[in-house]
Amino acid sequence: MVLIPLGSYRIRLELRFEAVEYQRYTATVETPDGNRVWRGGNLRLQATGTQTNSLLVTVPSNLLHPGVYKVKLSGVAPGGNAEIVAGYSFEVRQR
C-alpha cells in the first residue's frame, strides 16, 4: 500500500527482481482493467549488493488516484523487442 500525502508531486517505486540480461527496461503502470496510467522507458539497473537488482521508477502522483494498480516491467533487447520480466501490484490511498 502506498499513502500519498497531500502536496506530494512524485512517488518513487523501487522494483526489485532477479538479474536479467537487459541493458534497458521499461515500466508501465496500469489500472486492473488494463488502462495505461504511466510509462517510463530507458530505465537502467542499480546494483543492490544482493542477488537481486532494482530499478527506481518515479511516477507523478497526480496520475495515481486511490485504487489498485499493476506495474509491468519489461526488458528491452538491442533490436527493440520487449519481454515482460516482472510484475507488481500496489494500492494507493490518499491522506
Side-chain angles (χ1 to χ4, degrees):
M1 179 177 59
V2 177
L3 289 173
I4 300 178
L6 293 174
S8 294
Y9 299 103
R10 292 177 293 246
I11 302 301
R12 183 187 293 183
L13 304 173
E14 182 178 357
L15 307 178
R16 292 184 181 205
F17 60 101
E18 292 188 30
V20 181
E21 298 297 322
Y22 291 101
Q23 291 188 1
R24 292 185 306 125
Y25 295 84
T26 61
T28 305
V29 177
E30 299 178 344
T31 62
D33 57 0
N35 290 322
R36 184 167 57 181
V37 174
W38 178 87
R39 182 176 182 274
N42 209 22
L43 305 171
R44 299 194 185 275
L45 285 176
Q46 299 179 353
T48 60
T50 65
Q51 292 183 336
T52 60
N53 290 296
S54 66
L55 286 167
L56 293 177
V57 176
T58 303
V59 181
S61 63
N62 64 329
L63 300 177
L64 301 174
H65 303 289
V68 176
Y69 294 89
K70 300 183 299 183
V71 180
K72 292 180 185 175
L73 182 62
S74 299
V76 181
N81 294 331
E83 174 186 5
I84 295 175
V85 296
Y88 313 85
S89 64
F90 65 97
E91 180 181 359
V92 171
R93 293 190 182 169
Q94 292 183 320
R95 296 175 97 180

Coordinates of all heavy atoms in Angstrom, one line a residue:
M1 N 0.8 -1.2 0.0 CA 0.0 0.0 0.0 C 0.9 1.2 0.0 O 1.9 1.3 0.7 CB -0.9 0.0 1.2 CG -1.8 1.2 1.3 SD -2.9 1.3 2.7 CE -1.8 1.2 4.0
V2 N 0.5 2.2 -0.7 CA 1.2 3.5 -0.8 C 0.3 4.6 -0.3 O -0.8 4.7 -0.8 CB 1.6 3.8 -2.3 CG1 2.3 5.2 -2.4 CG2 2.5 2.7 -2.8
L3 N 0.7 5.3 0.7 CA -0.1 6.5 1.1 C 0.5 7.7 0.5 O 1.7 8.0 0.6 CB 0.0 6.6 2.7 CG -0.8 5.6 3.5 CD1 -0.5 5.8 4.9 CD2 -2.3 5.7 3.2
I4 N -0.3 8.5 -0.2 CA 0.2 9.7 -0.9 C -0.2 10.9 0.0 O -1.4 11.3 0.0 CB -0.4 9.9 -2.3 CG1 0.1 8.6 -3.1 CG2 0.1 11.2 -2.9 CD1 -0.5 8.7 -4.5
P5 N 0.7 11.6 0.7 CA 0.4 12.8 1.5 C 0.0 13.9 0.5 O 0.4 14.0 -0.6 CB 1.7 13.1 2.2 CG 2.5 11.9 2.1 CD 2.1 11.2 0.8
L6 N -0.9 14.7 1.0 CA -1.3 15.9 0.2 C -0.1 16.7 -0.1 O 0.8 16.9 0.8 CB -2.4 16.7 1.0 CG -3.7 16.1 1.2 CD1 -4.6 16.9 2.1 CD2 -4.4 15.8 -0.1
G7 N 0.0 17.3 -1.3 CA 1.1 18.1 -1.7 C 2.3 17.3 -2.3 O 3.2 17.9 -2.7
S8 N 2.2 16.0 -2.3 CA 3.2 15.2 -3.0 C 3.1 15.3 -4.5 O 2.1 15.4 -5.0 CB 3.1 13.7 -2.6 OG 3.3 13.5 -1.2
Y9 N 4.3 15.4 -5.1 CA 4.3 15.5 -6.6 C 4.8 14.3 -7.3 O 4.5 14.1 -8.5 CB 5.2 16.7 -6.9 CG 4.7 18.0 -6.4 CD1 5.2 18.6 -5.2 CD2 3.5 18.6 -6.9 CE1 4.8 19.7 -4.7 CE2 3.0 19.8 -6.3 CZ 3.7 20.3 -5.2 OH 3.2 21.5 -4.7
R10 N 5.6 13.5 -6.6 CA 6.1 12.3 -7.3 C 6.1 11.1 -6.2 O 6.3 11.3 -5.1 CB 7.5 12.5 -7.7 CG 7.6 13.5 -8.9 CD 9.1 13.7 -9.2 NE 9.7 14.4 -8.1 CZ 10.2 15.6 -8.2 NH1 10.2 16.3 -9.3 NH2 10.8 16.2 -7.1
I11 N 5.9 9.9 -6.8 CA 6.0 8.7 -6.0 C 7.2 7.9 -6.6 O 7.2 7.7 -7.8 CB 4.7 7.9 -6.0 CG1 3.5 8.8 -5.6 CG2 4.8 6.6 -5.3 CD1 3.7 9.3 -4.2
R12 N 8.1 7.4 -5.7 CA 9.2 6.6 -6.2 C 8.9 5.2 -5.8 O 8.6 4.8 -4.6 CB 10.5 7.0 -5.5 CG 11.6 6.2 -6.0 CD 12.9 6.5 -5.3 NE 13.4 7.8 -5.6 CZ 14.5 8.3 -5.1 NH1 15.3 7.5 -4.3 NH2 14.9 9.5 -5.4
L13 N 8.9 4.3 -6.8 CA 8.8 2.9 -6.6 C 10.1 2.2 -6.8 O 10.8 2.5 -7.8 CB 7.7 2.3 -7.6 CG 6.4 3.0 -7.6 CD1 5.6 2.4 -8.8 CD2 5.6 2.7 -6.3
E14 N 10.5 1.3 -5.9 CA 11.7 0.5 -6.1 C 11.3 -0.8 -6.5 O 10.6 -1.6 -5.7 CB 12.5 0.5 -4.8 CG 13.8 -0.3 -5.0 CD 14.7 -0.3 -3.8 OE1 14.3 0.3 -2.7 OE2 15.7 -1.0 -3.8
L15 N 11.6 -1.2 -7.7 CA 11.2 -2.5 -8.3 C 12.4 -3.5 -8.2 O 13.4 -3.3 -8.9 CB 10.7 -2.3 -9.7 CG 9.7 -1.3 -10.0 CD1 9.3 -1.2 -11.5 CD2 8.4 -1.6 -9.2
R16 N 12.2 -4.5 -7.4 CA 13.3 -5.5 -7.2 C 13.0 -6.7 -7.9 O 11.8 -7.2 -7.9 CB 13.5 -5.8 -5.7 CG 14.1 -4.6 -5.0 CD 14.3 -5.0 -3.5 NE 14.8 -3.8 -2.9 CZ 15.6 -3.9 -1.8 NH1 15.9 -5.0 -1.3 NH2 16.0 -2.8 -1.2
F17 N 14.0 -7.3 -8.6 CA 13.8 -8.6 -9.3 C 15.1 -9.2 -9.5 O 16.2 -8.6 -9.3 CB 13.1 -8.3 -10.7 CG 13.9 -7.4 -11.6 CD1 14.6 -7.9 -12.6 CD2 13.9 -6.0 -11.4 CE1 15.4 -7.0 -13.4 CE2 14.6 -5.2 -12.2 CZ 15.3 -5.7 -13.2
E18 N 15.1 -10.5 -9.8 CA 16.3 -11.2 -10.1 C 17.0 -10.7 -11.4 O 16.3 -10.3 -12.3 CB 16.1 -12.7 -10.2 CG 15.6 -13.3 -8.9 CD 15.5 -14.8 -8.9 OE1 16.3 -15.5 -9.7 OE2 14.7 -15.3 -8.1
A19 N 18.3 -10.8 -11.4 CA 19.0 -10.2 -12.5 C 18.6 -10.9 -13.8 O 18.5 -12.1 -13.9 CB 20.5 -10.4 -12.3
V20 N 18.4 -10.1 -14.8 CA 18.1 -10.5 -16.2 C 19.0 -9.7 -17.1 O 19.4 -8.6 -16.8 CB 16.6 -10.2 -16.5 CG1 16.3 -10.6 -17.9 CG2 15.7 -10.8 -15.5
E21 N 19.4 -10.3 -18.2 CA 20.4 -9.7 -19.1 C 19.8 -8.7 -20.1 O 19.8 -9.0 -21.3 CB 21.1 -10.9 -19.8 CG 21.9 -11.8 -18.9 CD 23.0 -11.1 -18.2 OE1 23.7 -10.2 -18.7 OE2 23.2 -11.5 -17.0
Y22 N 19.4 -7.6 -19.6 CA 19.0 -6.5 -20.5 C 19.7 -5.2 -20.0 O 20.0 -5.1 -18.8 CB 17.5 -6.3 -20.3 CG 16.7 -7.4 -20.9 CD1 16.1 -8.3 -20.1 CD2 16.5 -7.5 -22.3 CE1 15.3 -9.4 -20.6 CE2 15.7 -8.5 -22.8 CZ 15.1 -9.4 -22.0 OH 14.4 -10.5 -22.5
Q23 N 20.0 -4.4 -20.9 CA 20.6 -3.1 -20.6 C 19.6 -2.0 -20.3 O 19.9 -1.0 -19.7 CB 21.6 -2.7 -21.7 CG 22.8 -3.6 -21.7 CD 23.9 -3.0 -22.7 OE1 23.7 -2.0 -23.3 NE2 25.0 -3.8 -22.8
R24 N 18.4 -2.2 -20.9 CA 17.4 -1.2 -20.7 C 16.1 -1.8 -20.4 O 15.8 -3.0 -20.7 CB 17.1 -0.3 -22.0 CG 18.3 0.5 -22.4 CD 17.9 1.4 -23.6 NE 17.5 0.6 -24.8 CZ 16.3 0.8 -25.4 NH1 15.5 1.7 -25.0 NH2 16.0 0.0 -26.4
Y25 N 15.2 -1.1 -19.6 CA 13.9 -1.6 -19.2 C 12.9 -0.5 -19.4 O 13.2 0.7 -19.4 CB 14.0 -2.0 -17.7 CG 14.9 -3.2 -17.4 CD1 16.3 -3.0 -17.3 CD2 14.4 -4.4 -17.4 CE1 17.1 -4.0 -17.0 CE2 15.3 -5.5 -17.2 CZ 16.6 -5.3 -17.0 OH 17.5 -6.4 -16.8
T26 N 11.6 -0.9 -19.5 CA 10.5 0.0 -19.4 C 9.6 -0.5 -18.3 O 9.5 -1.7 -18.0 CB 9.7 0.0 -20.7 OG1 9.2 -1.3 -21.0 CG2 10.6 0.5 -21.9
A27 N 8.9 0.5 -17.7 CA 7.9 0.2 -16.7 C 6.6 0.8 -17.1 O 6.6 2.0 -17.5 CB 8.4 0.7 -15.3
T28 N 5.5 0.1 -16.9 CA 4.2 0.6 -17.2 C 3.3 0.4 -16.0 O 3.2 -0.7 -15.5 CB 3.6 -0.2 -18.4 OG1 4.5 -0.1 -19.5 CG2 2.3 0.4 -18.9
V29 N 2.6 1.5 -15.6 CA 1.6 1.4 -14.5 C 0.3 1.4 -15.2 O 0.0 2.3 -16.0 CB 1.8 2.6 -13.6 CG1 0.7 2.6 -12.5 CG2 3.2 2.7 -13.0
E30 N -0.6 0.4 -14.8 CA -1.9 0.3 -15.3 C -2.9 0.1 -14.2 O -2.6 -0.3 -13.1 CB -1.9 -1.0 -16.2 CG -1.0 -1.0 -17.4 CD -1.1 -2.3 -18.2 OE1 -1.6 -3.3 -17.7 OE2 -0.6 -2.3 -19.3
T31 N -4.2 0.4 -14.6 CA -5.3 0.0 -13.7 C -5.5 -1.5 -13.9 O -5.1 -2.1 -14.8 CB -6.5 0.8 -14.1 OG1 -6.9 0.5 -15.4 CG2 -6.3 2.3 -14.0
P32 N -6.3 -2.1 -13.0 CA -6.6 -3.5 -13.1 C -7.2 -3.9 -14.4 O -7.1 -5.0 -14.9 CB -7.5 -3.8 -11.9 CG -7.2 -2.8 -10.9 CD -6.9 -1.5 -11.7
D33 N -8.0 -3.0 -15.0 CA -8.6 -3.3 -16.3 C -7.7 -3.1 -17.5 O -8.2 -3.2 -18.7 CB -10.0 -2.7 -16.4 CG -9.9 -1.1 -16.3 OD1 -8.8 -0.6 -16.1 OD2 -10.9 -0.5 -16.4
G34 N -6.5 -2.7 -17.3 CA -5.5 -2.6 -18.4 C -5.3 -1.2 -19.0 O -4.6 -1.1 -19.9
N35 N -5.9 -0.2 -18.4 CA -5.7 1.2 -18.9 C -4.4 1.7 -18.4 O -4.1 1.7 -17.2 CB -6.8 2.1 -18.4 CG -8.2 1.8 -19.1 OD1 -8.2 1.5 -20.2 ND2 -9.2 1.9 -18.3
R36 N -3.6 2.1 -19.4 CA -2.2 2.6 -19.0 C -2.3 4.0 -18.4 O -3.0 4.9 -18.9 CB -1.3 2.7 -20.2 CG 0.1 3.1 -19.9 CD 1.1 2.9 -21.0 NE 0.7 3.6 -22.2 CZ 1.4 3.5 -23.3 NH1 2.5 2.8 -23.3 NH2 1.0 4.1 -24.4
V37 N -1.7 4.2 -17.2 CA -1.7 5.4 -16.5 C -0.4 6.2 -16.7 O -0.3 7.4 -16.9 CB -1.8 5.1 -15.0 CG1 -1.7 6.4 -14.2 CG2 -3.2 4.5 -14.7
W38 N 0.7 5.4 -16.8 CA 2.1 6.0 -17.0 C 3.0 5.0 -17.6 O 2.9 3.8 -17.3 CB 2.6 6.4 -15.6 CG 3.9 7.0 -15.6 CD1 4.3 8.3 -15.9 CD2 5.2 6.3 -15.4 NE1 5.6 8.5 -15.8 CE2 6.2 7.3 -15.5 CE3 5.5 5.0 -15.1 CZ2 7.5 6.9 -15.3 CZ3 6.8 4.7 -14.9 CH2 7.8 5.6 -15.0
R39 N 4.0 5.4 -18.3 CA 5.0 4.6 -18.9 C 6.3 5.3 -18.8 O 6.5 6.4 -19.2 CB 4.7 4.2 -20.3 CG 5.7 3.2 -20.9 CD 5.3 2.8 -22.4 NE 6.1 1.9 -22.9 CZ 7.3 2.2 -23.6 NH1 7.6 3.5 -23.7 NH2 8.0 1.3 -24.1
G40 N 7.4 4.6 -18.3 CA 8.7 5.1 -18.3 C 9.6 4.2 -19.0 O 9.6 3.0 -18.9
G41 N 10.5 4.8 -19.8 CA 11.4 4.0 -20.6 C 12.9 4.3 -20.4 O 13.2 5.2 -19.6
N42 N 13.7 3.5 -21.0 CA 15.2 3.7 -20.9 C 15.7 3.7 -19.5 O 16.6 4.4 -19.1 CB 15.6 5.1 -21.6 CG 17.0 5.0 -22.1 OD1 17.5 3.9 -22.4 ND2 17.6 6.1 -22.3
L43 N 15.1 2.8 -18.7 CA 15.5 2.6 -17.3 C 16.6 1.7 -17.2 O 16.7 0.7 -18.0 CB 14.3 2.1 -16.5 CG 13.0 2.9 -16.5 CD1 11.8 2.1 -15.9 CD2 13.2 4.2 -15.9
R44 N 17.5 1.9 -16.2 CA 18.7 1.1 -16.1 C 18.8 0.5 -14.7 O 18.4 1.1 -13.7 CB 20.0 1.9 -16.4 CG 19.9 2.4 -17.8 CD 21.3 2.9 -18.3 NE 21.2 3.4 -19.6 CZ 21.2 2.7 -20.8 NH1 21.4 1.5 -20.7 NH2 21.2 3.4 -21.9
L45 N 19.4 -0.7 -14.6 CA 19.5 -1.4 -13.3 C 20.4 -0.6 -12.3 O 21.4 0.1 -12.7 CB 20.2 -2.8 -13.5 CG 19.3 -3.8 -14.1 CD1 20.1 -5.1 -14.3 CD2 18.1 -4.1 -13.2
Q46 N 20.2 -0.8 -11.0 CA 21.0 -0.3 -10.0 C 21.4 -1.5 -9.1 O 20.5 -2.2 -8.6 CB 20.3 0.7 -9.2 CG 19.9 1.9 -10.0 CD 19.2 2.9 -9.2 OE1 18.8 2.7 -8.0 NE2 18.9 4.1 -9.8
A47 N 22.7 -1.8 -8.9 CA 23.1 -2.9 -8.1 C 22.7 -2.6 -6.7 O 22.9 -1.5 -6.2 CB 24.6 -3.1 -8.3
T48 N 22.3 -3.7 -6.0 CA 21.9 -3.6 -4.6 C 22.8 -4.3 -3.7 O 22.6 -4.3 -2.5 CB 20.4 -4.0 -4.4 OG1 20.4 -5.4 -4.8 CG2 19.5 -3.2 -5.2
G49 N 23.8 -5.0 -4.2 CA 24.7 -5.8 -3.4 C 24.2 -7.2 -3.0 O 24.8 -7.9 -2.2
T50 N 23.0 -7.5 -3.5 CA 22.4 -8.9 -3.2 C 22.3 -9.5 -4.6 O 22.8 -9.1 -5.6 CB 21.1 -8.7 -2.5 OG1 20.1 -8.1 -3.4 CG2 21.2 -7.9 -1.2
Q51 N 21.5 -10.6 -4.6 CA 21.3 -11.4 -5.8 C 20.2 -10.8 -6.6 O 19.8 -11.2 -7.7 CB 21.1 -12.8 -5.6 CG 22.3 -13.5 -5.0 CD 22.1 -15.0 -4.8 OE1 21.0 -15.5 -4.7 NE2 23.2 -15.8 -4.9
T52 N 19.6 -9.7 -6.1 CA 18.5 -9.1 -6.8 C 19.0 -7.7 -7.3 O 20.0 -7.2 -6.8 CB 17.3 -8.9 -6.0 OG1 17.6 -8.1 -4.9 CG2 16.7 -10.2 -5.6
N53 N 18.4 -7.2 -8.3 CA 18.7 -5.8 -8.7 C 17.4 -5.0 -8.6 O 16.4 -5.5 -8.3 CB 19.1 -5.9 -10.2 CG 20.4 -6.5 -10.4 OD1 21.4 -6.0 -9.9 ND2 20.5 -7.6 -11.1
S54 N 17.6 -3.7 -8.7 CA 16.4 -2.9 -8.6 C 16.4 -1.7 -9.6 O 17.5 -1.3 -10.0 CB 16.3 -2.3 -7.2 OG 17.3 -1.4 -6.9
L55 N 15.2 -1.3 -9.9 CA 15.0 -0.1 -10.7 C 14.2 0.9 -9.9 O 13.3 0.5 -9.2 CB 14.2 -0.4 -12.0 CG 15.0 -1.2 -13.1 CD1 14.0 -1.7 -14.1 CD2 16.0 -0.3 -13.7
L56 N 14.6 2.1 -9.9 CA 13.9 3.2 -9.2 C 13.0 3.9 -10.3 O 13.5 4.3 -11.3 CB 14.8 4.2 -8.6 CG 15.5 3.7 -7.4 CD1 16.5 4.7 -6.8 CD2 14.6 3.1 -6.3
V57 N 11.7 3.9 -10.1 CA 10.8 4.5 -11.0 C 10.0 5.6 -10.3 O 9.5 5.4 -9.2 CB 9.8 3.4 -11.5 CG1 8.7 4.0 -12.4 CG2 10.5 2.2 -12.2
T58 N 10.0 6.8 -10.9 CA 9.3 7.9 -10.3 C 8.1 8.3 -11.2 O 8.2 8.5 -12.4 CB 10.3 9.1 -10.3 OG1 11.5 8.8 -9.5 CG2 9.6 10.3 -9.6
V59 N 6.9 8.2 -10.5 CA 5.7 8.4 -11.2 C 5.0 9.7 -10.6 O 5.0 9.9 -9.4 CB 4.7 7.2 -10.9 CG1 3.4 7.4 -11.6 CG2 5.4 5.9 -11.3
P60 N 4.5 10.6 -11.5 CA 3.8 11.8 -11.0 C 2.6 11.4 -10.2 O 1.8 10.6 -10.6 CB 3.4 12.5 -12.3 CG 4.3 12.0 -13.3 CD 4.6 10.6 -12.9
S61 N 2.5 11.9 -8.9 CA 1.4 11.5 -8.0 C 0.0 11.9 -8.5 O -0.9 11.3 -8.2 CB 1.7 12.0 -6.6 OG 1.7 13.4 -6.6
N62 N 0.0 12.9 -9.4 CA -1.4 13.4 -9.8 C -2.0 12.4 -10.8 O -3.2 12.4 -11.1 CB -1.3 14.8 -10.5 CG -0.4 14.8 -11.7 OD1 0.5 14.0 -11.9 ND2 -0.8 15.6 -12.7
L63 N -1.2 11.4 -11.3 CA -1.7 10.3 -12.1 C -2.3 9.2 -11.3 O -3.0 8.3 -11.9 CB -0.6 9.8 -13.1 CG 0.0 10.8 -14.0 CD1 1.1 10.2 -14.8 CD2 -1.0 11.5 -14.9
L64 N -2.0 9.1 -10.0 CA -2.4 8.0 -9.2 C -3.5 8.4 -8.3 O -3.3 9.0 -7.3 CB -1.2 7.5 -8.4 CG 0.0 7.0 -9.3 CD1 1.2 6.7 -8.3 CD2 -0.4 5.8 -10.1
H65 N -4.7 8.0 -8.6 CA -5.9 8.2 -7.8 C -6.1 7.0 -6.8 O -5.5 5.9 -7.1 CB -7.1 8.4 -8.6 CG -6.9 9.5 -9.6 ND1 -6.9 10.9 -9.2 CD2 -6.7 9.5 -10.9 CE1 -6.7 11.6 -10.3 NE2 -6.6 10.9 -11.3
P66 N -6.8 7.1 -5.8 CA -7.0 6.0 -4.9 C -7.5 4.7 -5.7 O -8.4 4.8 -6.5 CB -8.1 6.4 -3.9 CG -7.8 7.9 -3.8 CD -7.5 8.3 -5.2
G67 N -6.9 3.6 -5.4 CA -7.2 2.4 -6.1 C -6.0 1.4 -6.2 O -4.9 1.7 -5.7
V68 N -6.2 0.4 -6.9 CA -5.2 -0.6 -7.1 C -4.6 -0.5 -8.5 O -5.3 -0.1 -9.5 CB -5.8 -2.1 -7.0 CG1 -4.8 -3.1 -7.3 CG2 -6.4 -2.3 -5.6
Y69 N -3.3 -0.7 -8.6 CA -2.5 -0.5 -9.8 C -1.6 -1.7 -10.0 O -1.2 -2.4 -9.1 CB -1.7 0.7 -9.8 CG -2.5 2.0 -9.8 CD1 -2.9 2.6 -8.6 CD2 -2.9 2.6 -11.0 CE1 -3.7 3.7 -8.6 CE2 -3.6 3.7 -11.0 CZ -4.0 4.3 -9.8 OH -4.8 5.4 -9.8
K70 N -1.3 -2.0 -11.3 CA -0.3 -3.0 -11.7 C 0.8 -2.3 -12.3 O 0.7 -1.3 -13.0 CB -0.9 -4.0 -12.7 CG -2.2 -4.7 -12.2 CD -2.7 -5.7 -13.3 CE -3.0 -5.1 -14.6 NZ -3.6 -6.0 -15.6
V71 N 2.0 -2.9 -12.1 CA 3.2 -2.4 -12.8 C 3.8 -3.6 -13.6 O 4.0 -4.7 -13.0 CB 4.3 -1.9 -11.8 CG1 5.5 -1.5 -12.5 CG2 3.7 -0.8 -10.9
K72 N 4.1 -3.4 -14.8 CA 4.7 -4.4 -15.7 C 6.1 -3.9 -16.0 O 6.3 -2.7 -16.5 CB 4.0 -4.6 -17.0 CG 2.6 -5.2 -16.8 CD 1.9 -5.4 -18.2 CE 0.5 -5.9 -18.0 NZ -0.1 -6.0 -19.3
L73 N 7.1 -4.7 -15.7 CA 8.5 -4.3 -16.0 C 9.0 -5.2 -17.2 O 8.8 -6.4 -17.1 CB 9.4 -4.6 -14.8 CG 10.8 -4.2 -14.9 CD1 11.0 -2.7 -15.2 CD2 11.6 -4.7 -13.7
S74 N 9.4 -4.5 -18.2 CA 9.9 -5.2 -19.4 C 11.3 -5.0 -19.7 O 11.8 -3.8 -19.5 CB 9.1 -4.8 -20.7 OG 7.7 -5.0 -20.5
G75 N 12.1 -6.0 -20.1 CA 13.4 -5.8 -20.6 C 13.4 -5.6 -22.1 O 12.6 -6.2 -22.8
V76 N 14.2 -4.6 -22.5 CA 14.3 -4.3 -23.9 C 15.5 -4.8 -24.6 O 16.6 -4.4 -24.1 CB 14.2 -2.7 -24.1 CG1 14.2 -2.3 -25.6 CG2 12.9 -2.2 -23.4
A77 N 15.4 -5.6 -25.6 CA 16.5 -6.2 -26.3 C 17.1 -5.2 -27.2 O 16.5 -4.2 -27.6 CB 16.1 -7.4 -27.1
P78 N 18.4 -5.3 -27.7 CA 19.0 -4.4 -28.6 C 18.2 -4.1 -29.8 O 18.2 -3.0 -30.3 CB 20.4 -5.0 -28.9 CG 20.7 -5.9 -27.7 CD 19.3 -6.4 -27.3
G79 N 17.5 -5.0 -30.3 CA 16.6 -4.8 -31.5 C 15.4 -4.1 -31.2 O 14.6 -3.7 -32.2
G80 N 15.1 -3.8 -30.0 CA 13.8 -3.1 -29.6 C 12.7 -3.9 -29.1 O 11.7 -3.4 -28.7
N81 N 12.8 -5.3 -29.2 CA 11.8 -6.1 -28.7 C 11.8 -6.1 -27.2 O 12.8 -6.2 -26.6 CB 12.0 -7.6 -29.2 CG 11.8 -7.7 -30.7 OD1 11.1 -6.9 -31.3 ND2 12.5 -8.6 -31.4
A82 N 10.6 -6.1 -26.6 CA 10.5 -6.1 -25.2 C 9.9 -7.4 -24.7 O 9.0 -8.0 -25.3 CB 9.6 -4.9 -24.7
E83 N 10.3 -7.8 -23.5 CA 9.8 -9.0 -22.8 C 9.5 -8.7 -21.4 O 10.3 -8.1 -20.7 CB 10.9 -10.1 -22.9 CG 10.5 -11.4 -22.1 CD 11.6 -12.4 -22.0 OE1 12.7 -12.1 -22.5 OE2 11.4 -13.4 -21.5
I84 N 8.3 -9.0 -20.9 CA 7.9 -8.8 -19.5 C 8.8 -9.7 -18.6 O 8.8 -10.9 -18.8 CB 6.4 -9.0 -19.3 CG1 5.6 -8.0 -20.1 CG2 6.1 -8.9 -17.8 CD1 4.1 -8.2 -20.0
V85 N 9.5 -9.1 -17.7 CA 10.4 -9.8 -16.8 C 9.9 -9.8 -15.3 O 10.3 -10.6 -14.5 CB 11.8 -9.3 -16.8 CG1 12.4 -9.4 -18.2 CG2 11.9 -7.8 -16.4
A86 N 9.0 -8.9 -15.0 CA 8.4 -8.9 -13.6 C 7.1 -8.2 -13.6 O 6.8 -7.3 -14.5 CB 9.4 -8.3 -12.6
G87 N 6.3 -8.5 -12.6 CA 5.0 -7.8 -12.4 C 4.8 -7.5 -10.9 O 5.3 -8.3 -10.1
Y88 N 4.1 -6.4 -10.7 CA 3.9 -6.0 -9.3 C 2.5 -5.4 -9.2 O 1.9 -5.0 -10.2 CB 4.9 -4.9 -8.9 CG 6.3 -5.2 -9.2 CD1 6.8 -4.9 -10.5 CD2 7.2 -5.8 -8.3 CE1 8.1 -5.2 -10.8 CE2 8.5 -6.0 -8.6 CZ 9.0 -5.7 -9.9 OH 10.3 -6.0 -10.2
S89 N 2.0 -5.2 -8.0 CA 0.8 -4.5 -7.8 C 0.9 -3.7 -6.5 O 1.7 -4.0 -5.6 CB -0.4 -5.5 -7.7 OG -0.3 -6.3 -6.6
F90 N 0.2 -2.6 -6.4 CA 0.1 -1.8 -5.2 C -1.2 -1.1 -5.2 O -1.9 -0.9 -6.2 CB 1.3 -0.8 -5.2 CG 1.3 0.2 -6.3 CD1 0.8 1.5 -6.0 CD2 1.9 0.0 -7.5 CE1 0.9 2.5 -7.0 CE2 1.9 0.9 -8.5 CZ 1.4 2.2 -8.3
E91 N -1.5 -0.6 -4.0 CA -2.7 0.1 -3.8 C -2.4 1.5 -3.3 O -1.5 1.7 -2.5 CB -3.6 -0.6 -2.7 CG -4.9 0.2 -2.4 CD -5.7 -0.5 -1.3 OE1 -5.3 -1.6 -0.8 OE2 -6.8 0.0 -1.0
V92 N -3.1 2.5 -3.8 CA -2.9 3.9 -3.5 C -4.0 4.4 -2.5 O -5.2 4.1 -2.8 CB -2.8 4.8 -4.7 CG1 -2.8 6.3 -4.3 CG2 -1.6 4.5 -5.6
R93 N -3.6 5.0 -1.5 CA -4.6 5.6 -0.6 C -4.1 7.0 -0.3 O -2.9 7.3 -0.1 CB -4.7 4.9 0.7 CG -5.3 3.5 0.6 CD -5.7 3.0 1.9 NE -6.2 1.6 1.7 CZ -6.4 0.8 2.7 NH1 -6.1 1.1 4.0 NH2 -6.9 -0.4 2.5
Q94 N -5.0 8.0 -0.3 CA -4.6 9.4 0.0 C -4.9 9.7 1.4 O -5.9 9.3 1.9 CB -5.2 10.3 -1.0 CG -4.6 10.1 -2.4 CD -5.2 11.1 -3.4 OE1 -6.3 11.4 -3.4 NE2 -4.3 11.6 -4.3
R95 N -4.1 10.6 2.0 CA -4.4 11.0 3.4 C -5.1 12.3 3.3 O -5.0 13.1 2.5 CB -3.0 11.2 4.1 CG -2.3 9.9 4.2 CD -1.0 10.1 4.8 NE -1.1 9.9 6.3 CZ -0.1 10.0 7.1 NH1 1.1 10.4 6.7 NH2 -0.3 9.7 8.4

